[in-house]
Structures are given as structure tokens and as C-alpha cells.
Amino acid sequence: MNKKIRLLIVISSLGLLALSVIQGYLINNTYKLKKTAFIAETKKSISRLDDLSPKLDGINETLQDNFLNLIADYYVKKITKKQVLEKLNSYTDSINRVYIESYEKELKEQEIGYDLKFQKVVNTIIVLDSAGIKNDTIFSSLKTPSFHLLGHKFDEKDGHKISNSLWLTDHVFNRKVNGEMRSITFNLQLETEDRMNIDGWERIVFGRMAILLGMSIFIFLLVFWLLYYSIINLITQKKIVDIKTDFVNNITHELKTPLSTLTLATKMLQNDEMVLASAPSKNIVNTIERQNIRLQKLIDQVVNNSLGYQEIKLNKELVNANEYLNLIVDDFQLSLNLANIQISKNINIDIPLSVDKFYFTTAVLNILENAVKYGKENLKIVISANITADFKLIISDNGIGIPKKEVPFLFDKFFRVGNKEVHDVKGLGLGLYYTNQIVKAHQGKILVESKQGKGTSFTILIPIA
Ligand code: ATP
Ligand code: MG
């Protein structure tokens, strides 16, 4: 691949990557903003639920009274810290069902449109004596989880804080201490927190971003596809241009020799002395004719071998496959006139084959000629034919082989492998293209397997019936 194209691919990929990172960053920011807005909006709609509902307010008030009595009992050492919490817990447990029901009823009236759990927890309970000097911590959530007071039970990490409230109160009460009634005062500091847990809030936030997300993914895929398509197109175009340039070079090379011979012959004929002597002029005319035939053949090769399979009009006939194939191979071997090429056959077909003899022979010969053209010393060609599901003809050689990355282009028009070994051999890159078109016209297919330096094997498959 050309350096410029590689650079283009690298720069475009980096650009696309940068674009995706920026897009990801923006989406993440939008997600955070939407999440904050969503939580804030929910908080706002439920934060004053306790105060607005007389029932909830009533429950809170009796809870406060009960709680103050417990603290008073603790203050006169009737119960321990642990018992305060235990009693508080058993009291809140007894009213929790009614509390939840009332809360849910209020929630329903808010019509927020999604499920929500809520809880009230205690973070600290501190009692100070009347002088406000000695403070006694009954509970603190600094080291332990908060104390669940009312509402649903869920983990702190699964919830969002709705509000915090700090209740400071001076409490005066009368208690019998050592047989006599005494008025006792203490200060209480109670810190509670309201929390909510929204079921599937991520889904709701994502749902609100659906259009943005959908559009982003769509645009990203579109840009990615456009880039991919343009690069592939560019590479293909470059390949086609290279192949065509090669073809022009090849054909120019092929035309050069006959044309220069013709020029020379014409020059000789212009020479009067030479024309007068009849014998040499006959030779010159013969040369002209030979070169003319050569030029004609070359043009015919380009014109005929460029036919597409739709343009090939087959004239099929039933042939005795064994006889027919043996004849092609034998004639080919004879025409070679080379002793150091070993050709072995394993042709084993006992049913007649329906092919166009003229075209099919050309197809087989093109492969055989290639095997010789791109062979090495001690060339061995193996031809085997049999009937499996289809008629199967395999032609293998132990020649120079084809580099793996070039194999997919073998049947393209004008394609020739770009290495020196191949360029020293004449050819227009049409043989395999034409062979493939002939096989396609017979509704068959052609497969190729090759290993560079080891050899190549072509398989032609033609459906029988
Ligand atoms: P043409 O057949 O038109 O005269 P060509 O032989 O170059 O020219 P194709 O027959 O289409 O063209 O073959 C295409 C290319 O495939 C060849 O140039 C050669 O590089 C490679 N090739 C084909 N057959 C073999 C083979 N048996 N071994 C190694 N390389 C092969
Ligand atoms: Mg060829």
C-alpha cells in the first residue's frame, strides 16, 4: 500500500478516535447533568411531604414524645443506652407499616411517575445536661451505619439524601427520684436524615437521553462507515490504476518487437536495390506477414479474452470426459517439446460431460500454460479429474507459487503478480480472468490454493446434470 494512503488511514483513524473520545466525554457530562437534575427534581417533589401531610406529621409527633420519654428514663438511669435504642426500634417497628402506607398515599398524589422507596434514619443522639456542659452520646453513625427509624429498609449506598434535620430541644420533666418528685431538665440533640431510593433511576436517566444517545451512535456509525468505505474505495481505485498501468506497459512491450520489425522491413522494401533482387524481397514480405499475424493475435487475445461470462455463448455437447481430457493434456505435452517437465494424469470419469469443447479447452490450457510459465526447474504438473458431487478437475504444479495477499486478485482482469520472476515472463494478465469467465458460463466455480515457493493448485468444479 502506498505511503500516502497509509498516512491517510492513520490520520483518519486518529481523528475518528479523537471524535469518539470527545463525544464520549460530552455524553458522560450530559448524563451527570441529567442525573443531578433528575435527583433534584425528585427531591423537590417529595421533600415537604412530611410537613404537608397531617397524618405523617401526627406520626412524627407521637414518635418524638415517645422518644423524649425514653431519653428521660435514660437520664434518670432507669434504662441503658442500649435499651433506649432497643425500645425506640420496637416502637418504630410497630408504627412503620402505617407510616409507609401514609407516605405512599402522599407520594401517589404527587404523581411522580416512577417507583420510589424512602427512609428516615438517625445519625446522632446526644444528651447534654441542663448546664450544657457534659454531653453524652447515645448514638453516633460515625463508626456504625445509621439507625433506621422509619420507612423502607435499603443500604445507604443505594439511596440519595433528601434532607438533613437537626432537632435541638430543652426538655423539662418530672420524675420520682428516691421517692420524691423532681423536675429535671436536659437538652437533646437529634440529627436525622431522610433518604430515597429510586428503582432503576439509571434507566430513567438514560431514557431521557435516548434521542441524544441514538443520534450520537447513528452519526458515529455513519461517519465510521463513510470513512471505511472511502478508504476501501481509494485502495481499490489505486489497485485498478496500478493494474491498468501494468497492462499498458505490458501491451506496449508486446507491440514493440513486431512494430520495429515491420518498420525495418518497410525500410528495406523502400530500398530499390533490394526490391530488384527478388529472393530477399520475398523474405521481407514473409516477415511482414508473420509480424502482422502476431499483431493480429495479440489484438485478438485482448479482445476475446476480455469477454465477460454473460457474453460467452456456449455450444455445449456431451463428451467422453476421459478421452477429451486426455487429448487436451497429450496435445499440450506435445506442444511443449520440453523433456524436463513431468506431467502426470489421474483422470477417472465414467460419465459423459456436457461442456463447450472450444471454450473449456481454452480454460484448461490457460491453467496448464501458466503452470509452465510460472514453473521452476524440475517442474511437475499433476492433473486429476473425478466426479464427486460435481465434475472436479484439479491442476497442480510445484512452481513459484503465489504470495498469499495476491491470491484474491488472481481472477481480476489484467492482474499479474507484481514480483520480478513474473515480470520476466510475458503475459497480459488475461488468462485466468478469461478462464474464470468460461467456468462461470458453465455455472461452475474455480478455486485456487497456493504457497509461495512451493506451488499452486487450481480446482475447477462444474455441476453435472
Ligand atoms: P496471460 O495469461 O494473459 O498471457 P498472465 O499469465 O500473466 O497473462 P494470468 O494467466 O491471468 O495472466 O495469470 C495472472 C497471474 O497469476 C500471473 O501473472 C502470475 O503472476 C500468476 N499465476 C498464474 N498461474 C500461476 C501459477 N501456476 N504459478 C504461479 N503464479 C501463477
Ligand atoms: Mg496466463
Side-chain angles (χ1 to χ4, degrees), residues 366 370 373-374 431:
N366 278 347
N370 279 350
K373 268 163 82 175
Y374 310 107

Side-chain angles (χ1 to χ4, degrees), residues 88-105:
L88 182 62
N89 194 25
S90 71
Y91 175 70
T92 54
D93 269 0
S94 69
I95 59 166
N96 203 19
R97 201 177 54 83
V98 182
Y99 181 81
I100 290 178
E101 271 170 19
S102 316
Y103 203 104
E104 279 178 347
K105 201 167 141 241

Side-chain angles (χ1 to χ4, degrees), residues 3 145 152 176 178 188 257 292 344 353-354 377:
K3 238 183 187 173
H152 298 106
K176 241 185 192 165
N178 298 333
L188 175 72
T257 327
N292 248 337
S344 53
L353 203 64
S354 166
E377 296 230 325

Side-chain angles (χ1 to χ4, degrees), residues 3-13 227 231 234:
K3 238 183 187 173
K4 258 190 198 164
I5 296 183
R6 215 172 288 174
L7 194 70
L8 188 76
I9 294 175
V10 171
I11 294 175
S12 336
S13 311
L227 196 68
I231 289 172
L234 197 72

Side-chain angles (χ1 to χ4, degrees), residues 195-232:
R195 290 180 192 155
M196 62 180 176
N197 165 284
I198 307 162
D199 197 26
W201 63 268
E202 292 97 339
R203 208 185 51 242
I204 297 167
V205 175
F206 272 121
R208 290 181 179 187
M209 289 172 63
I211 294 179
L212 178 79
L213 269 177
M215 289 293 286
S216 299
I217 293 172
F218 174 73
I219 290 171
F220 176 79
L221 289 178
L222 187 74
V223 171
F224 181 79
W225 178 80
L226 278 177
L227 196 68
Y228 175 79
Y229 182 76
S230 316
I231 289 172
I232 292 291

Side-chain angles (χ1 to χ4, degrees), residues 39 117-119 153-161 195-202:
I39 303 277
K117 289 191 188 117
F118 48 87
Q119 65 179 200
K153 292 203 169 152
F154 53 83
D155 266 6
E156 186 179 349
K157 64 172 170 46
D158 299 329
H160 294 282
K161 188 160 98 179
R195 290 180 192 155
M196 62 180 176
N197 165 284
I198 307 162
D199 197 26
W201 63 268
E202 292 97 339

